[in-house]
Amino acid sequence: MPQRTVIVASQVGLHARPASAFTQAALKSGLPVSIARAGDRPVDAASILQVMSMAVKHGEQVVVSAEGPDAERVLDDLVAVLSTDFDTEQ
């Protein structure tokens, strides 16, 4: 299963707006996508509750995995979301 490691850029971590943007992108992909801290059990990346329950903070590293056709492109898109600091966007 393809996966990517990324550092969460948003100043509030994966909370509220960043988590919503990430889970919506995961859901829109149509593929099974998971997210986890390194060494932790992965959760469903399309579930806002599961993603927010991880309590990922700014600067923490997470591993995102996707399975299926076009998984590499989906991972590129999800990494872009996690690499965005929503607090500095206008």
Side-chain angles (χ1 to χ4, degrees):
M1 175 183 305
Q3 65 181 26
R4 302 279 167 74
T5 301
V6 61
I7 295 175
V8 175
S10 184
Q11 294 299 314
V12 295
L14 277 181
H15 180 69
R17 185 173 171 213
S20 177
F22 176 74
T23 57
Q24 287 176 16
L27 184 61
K28 185 179 176 183
S29 76
L31 298 180
V33 180
S34 63
I35 182 171
R37 283 188 181 94
D40 285 355
R41 186 170 176 253
V43 300
D44 181 0
S47 168
I48 187 88
L49 293 176
Q50 289 184 35
V51 170
M52 288 182 67
S53 73
M54 293 173 60
V56 175
K57 294 178 180 21
H58 166 75
E60 285 192 271
Q61 198 172 60
V62 294
V63 178
V64 182
S65 305
E67 188 170 352
D70 220 14
E72 296 291 341
R73 182 195 55 78
V74 167
L75 288 173
D76 289 342
D77 293 346
L78 294 172
V79 164
V81 172
L82 293 173
S83 298
T84 300
D85 184 354
F86 287 88
D87 300 316
T88 59
E89 279 195 336
Q90 300 296 337

